[in-house]
Structures are given as structure tokens and as C-alpha cells.
């Protein structure tokens, strides 16, 4: 049975192990310092946002080779039994000096330094770089979106398009560090204490005979947290139906929190929807939008 790969010290490049074996054979156990920095900016960038430190520390605290790891290394025919015995008792004993998550940094500026016996530092190098790379990329991108939003709230809705479970969690966490207000990822909400956000999909609307019937069913189920997706058929028409549902909620002492747009010319449609809602006395109803936004 395969164990979770995140628990394995084998999540590294082979050359880290071949170098470690050579260090061990020649009894090189002196301390060394490894500095992590980024050499240059991507196009049109001039800063980075630090993230990923939690994953680094968690990995270092649990770093070890278990019996399955050592048995696999033995099958490669590259490492002698003396070195494998050494690995069986190896733990990370070094020190980590790091910049706090969420802080801005610049190219050539170390964000993390590990000082440890050289074998330990070498063996953790790949995973440490791996643990920081995606979170920094996402946090930096998210910070640019937060800046462009000019105070409007942003929510991560990327899980269905990220590369696997770990990336989905890292995107949610890194975006939150950079200033997003929440995530659609329920597991990220549980693990990291991030507010979770979500409404409905077009499939919910089309499962009913009538769009307004779908709106009313959702409002009845969630009278204190009603957000209606209004672009399934015709966005202005959906806004007018949402306004009627909002009126009914208001008469029951509840209110429609927001409507959501997910297609079309968001800027123009949002203005038209705002006019429709305001004419019906629904100035407090917010408009949210989703669908592949970036800072531009």
C-alpha cells in the first residue's frame, strides 16, 4: 500500500542522495549554510510575496527515511549498506532562519537560510525549494489582484483547475496570506482557518423548470446567506427575477446578500444589473463576479 508521498524523505532529486553518499564515504559532516533566493523577476514584476514557510517547517520536523524508503534505495544498487544504515537514523538537526510569510522581498534577497551538517542540508534542499516555489508564485500573483481590486473583496475559486490536491490547498492558503478574503476549498478552510465561500452552479439552475423557481428554492434553503447566480439564460432577466426574490425575502425579515455574474462583459453587465437592483430598492444587494479574473 502506498503511503502519502508528503511523509517521505524520498521526495527529492537523486543527485541529492548521490552527493550525500559521497559526503558520508569521505566523512564530510561539517556544517554548511544553504540560502534560498530568486535570481530574477518574471516579466512586468518587481517584487515577490513570501509564502510556503509552514510547509518547509513541517517537512523538516518530520524528516526521516523509513524502512520502505531504505528498501527502495537498496534496489537501485547505488548505495552501500553502511550508508543506508546511516540514513535510517538520520533526522534534521539544523537551524532555519526565515523571512515571515506575507512579507515583500526582492530578487537576490535570501528569504530562507538553513544551517545544518552538510548531508542534512543537501538532502532537504530539493523539497525546501519545492515547498516554497508555488506558494511564493501564488501569493505574489494574489497580491497584485488585491492591489488591482482597490478594496473589493476577493475569493479563491481555483480548486477545480489547480494541479492536484496539494496545489489546491497551497493556492487557497497563499492567496489568503496575500489578502484574499476566503476560498471555495472546504478542506483549506478546515486546515488553515480560512473563511469558506460558495453559492450555486448553472447546473443547479437548469435542474429546475424555471430560473425563478431555482432562486426561490435556494433562498428557502439558505434564507440568511442567499447569493443567486443570475447569468444562466439572460443576465438582466435574471437580475429582475432576483429582485423579486429579494423583495419576498425582505418581507420575511431576510435579505438577498448578492447576485453573481459568471459570463459575458462583466463591467457592462454589472452596471446594468446595478441599475435594475437599485430601481427595485435593492441598493444593499452586492454584485459578485467569477470567471478567470487576474490583476489585469
Amino acid at each position: 500500500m502506498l503511503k502519502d508521498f508528503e511523509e517521505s524523505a524520498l521526495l527529492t532529486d537523486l543527485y541529492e542522495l548521490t552527493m550525500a553518499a559521497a559526503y558520508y564515504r569521505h566523512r564530510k559532516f561539517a556544517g554548511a549554510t544553504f540560502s534560498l533566493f530568486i535570481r530574477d523577476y518574471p516579466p512586468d514584476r518587481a517584487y515577490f510575496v513570501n509564502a510556503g514557510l509552514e510547509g518547509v517547517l513541517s517537512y523538516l520536523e518530520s524528516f526521516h527515511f523509513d524502512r520502505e524508503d531504505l528498501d527502495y534505495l537498496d534496489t537501485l544498487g547505488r548505495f552501500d549498506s553502511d550508508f543506508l544504515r546511516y540514513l535510517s537514523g538520520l533526522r534534521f538537526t539544523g537551524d532555519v532562519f526565515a523571512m515571515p510569510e506575507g512579507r515583500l522581498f526582492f530578487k537576490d534577497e535570501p528569504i530562507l537560510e538553513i544551517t545544518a551538517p552538510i548531508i542534512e542540508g543537501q538532502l532537504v534542499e530539493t523539497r525546501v525549494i519545492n515547498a516554497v516555489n508555488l506558494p511564493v508564485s501564488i501569493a505574489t500573483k494574489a497580491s497584485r489582484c488585491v492591489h488591482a481590486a482597490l478594496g473589493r473583496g476577493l475569493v479563491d475559486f481555483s480548486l477545480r483547475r489547480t494541479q492536484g490536491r496539494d496545489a489546491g490547498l497551497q493556492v487557497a492558503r497563499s492567496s489568503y496570506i496575500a489578502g484574499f478574503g476566503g476560498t471555495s476549498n472546504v478542506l483549506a478552510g478546515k486546515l488553515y482557518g480560512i473563511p469558506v465561500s460558495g453559492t450555486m452552479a448553472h447546473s443547479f439552475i437548469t435542474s429546475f423548470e424555471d430560473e425563478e423557481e431555482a432562486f426561490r428554492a435556494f433562498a428557502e434553503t439558505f434564507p440568511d446567506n442567499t447569493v443567486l447566480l443570475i447569468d444562466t439564460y439572460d443576465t438582466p432577466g435574471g437580475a429582475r427575477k432576483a429582485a423579486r426574490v429579494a423583495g419576498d425575502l425582505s418581507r420575511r425579515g431576510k435579505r438577498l446578500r448578492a447576485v453573481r455574474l459568471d459570463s459575458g462583459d462583466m463591467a457592462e453587465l454589472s452596471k446594468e444589473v446595478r441599475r435594475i437592483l437599485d430601481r427595485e430598492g435593492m441598493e444593499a444587494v452586492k454584485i459578485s463576479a467569477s470567471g478567470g479574473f487576474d490583476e489585469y
Side-chain angles (χ1 to χ4, degrees), residues 51-55 101 135 156 168-178 183 188 192 194:
L53 179 59
E54 181 187 64
E101 292 185 299
D156 152 55
L169 292 170
Q170 291 298 328
V171 168
R173 184 176 184 276
S174 300
S175 299
Y176 190 58
I177 286 172
T183 179
Y192 307 126
I194 303 173

Side-chain angles (χ1 to χ4, degrees), residues 91-160:
R91 300 294 185 271
F92 180 78
T93 63
D95 295 317
V96 179
F97 299 88
M99 182 182 293
E101 292 185 299
R103 183 167 294 179
L104 296 183
F105 69 96
F106 305 95
K107 68 175 185 175
D108 299 322
E109 180 179 6
I111 59 171
L112 184 149
E113 290 190 334
I114 289 176
T115 298
I118 192 167
I119 293 178
E120 297 175 25
Q122 198 72 72
L123 287 175
V124 303
E125 178 193 36
T126 294
R127 177 59 176 136
V128 168
I129 295 171
N130 169 268
V132 169
N133 184 34
L134 177 64
V136 165
S137 299
I138 295 300
T140 304
K141 182 75 167 180
S143 76
R144 290 164 59 86
C145 294
V146 171
H147 177 74
L150 300 175
R152 299 172 181 87
L154 301 177
V155 172
D156 152 55
F157 188 37
S158 65
L159 179 59
R160 60 186 57 205

Side-chain angles (χ1 to χ4, degrees), residues 30-281:
T33 296
F34 291 73
S35 298
L36 177 57
F37 60 92
I38 298 177
R39 293 191 180 96
D40 210 346
Y41 299 116
D44 303 318
R45 305 289 177 90
Y47 71 91
F48 300 101
V49 176
N50 192 31
L53 179 59
E54 181 187 64
V56 170
L57 297 178
S58 177
Y59 164 70
L60 295 177
E61 288 170 357
S62 63
F63 176 80
H64 72 285
F65 292 88
D66 66 17
R67 188 71 257 166
E68 288 182 23
D69 297 334
L70 297 170
D71 288 344
Y72 170 73
L73 291 177
D74 191 34
T75 67
L76 299 180
R78 293 171 179 260
F79 307 108
D80 62 32
S81 59
D82 192 29
F83 177 62
L84 294 178
R85 278 194 298 272
Y86 169 75
L87 290 183
S88 70
L90 189 66
R91 300 294 185 271
F92 180 78
T93 63
D95 295 317
V96 179
F97 299 88
M99 182 182 293
E101 292 185 299
R103 183 167 294 179
L104 296 183
F105 69 96
F106 305 95
K107 68 175 185 175
D108 299 322
E109 180 179 6
I111 59 171
L112 184 149
E113 290 190 334
I114 289 176
T115 298
I118 192 167
I119 293 178
E120 297 175 25
Q122 198 72 72
L123 287 175
V124 303
E125 178 193 36
T126 294
R127 177 59 176 136
V128 168
I129 295 171
N130 169 268
V132 169
N133 184 34
L134 177 64
V136 165
S137 299
I138 295 300
T140 304
K141 182 75 167 180
S143 76
R144 290 164 59 86
C145 294
V146 171
H147 177 74
L150 300 175
R152 299 172 181 87
L154 301 177
V155 172
D156 152 55
F157 188 37
S158 65
L159 179 59
R160 60 186 57 205
R161 290 185 174 87
T162 47
Q163 289 73 36
R165 179 199 64 182
D166 185 62
L169 292 170
Q170 291 298 328
V171 168
R173 184 176 184 276
S174 300
S175 299
Y176 190 58
I177 286 172
F180 274 43
T183 179
S184 68
N185 186 331
V186 180
L187 181 57
K190 175 188 174 185
L191 293 177
Y192 307 126
I194 303 173
V196 292
S197 178
T199 56
M200 62 179 68
H202 296 104
S203 57
F204 179 83
I205 303 296
T206 59
S207 73
F208 290 82
E209 290 294 326
D210 176 78
E211 184 177 37
E212 189 168 336
E213 181 188 357
F215 290 171
R216 293 186 182 282
F218 195 85
E220 182 181 338
T221 307
F222 300 102
D224 297 311
N225 192 28
T226 303
V227 179
L228 301 176
L229 177 63
I230 62 172
D231 73 328
T232 302
Y233 302 112
D234 171 69
T235 300
R240 286 187 282 272
K241 294 172 186 175
R244 289 197 291 270
V245 173
D248 291 344
L249 283 169
S250 180
R251 285 186 284 276
R252 292 162 48 200
K254 306 293 183 180
R255 71 179 184 87
L256 176 63
R257 276 192 57 206
V259 296
R260 178 162 71 95
L261 312 180
D262 192 50
S263 61
D265 185 332
M266 299 288 190
E268 289 305 314
L269 285 171
S270 66
K271 294 173 185 176
E272 185 173 359
V273 169
R274 181 78 275 157
R275 288 192 292 269
I276 292 170
L277 294 174
D278 289 354
R279 279 200 302 268
E280 299 298 325

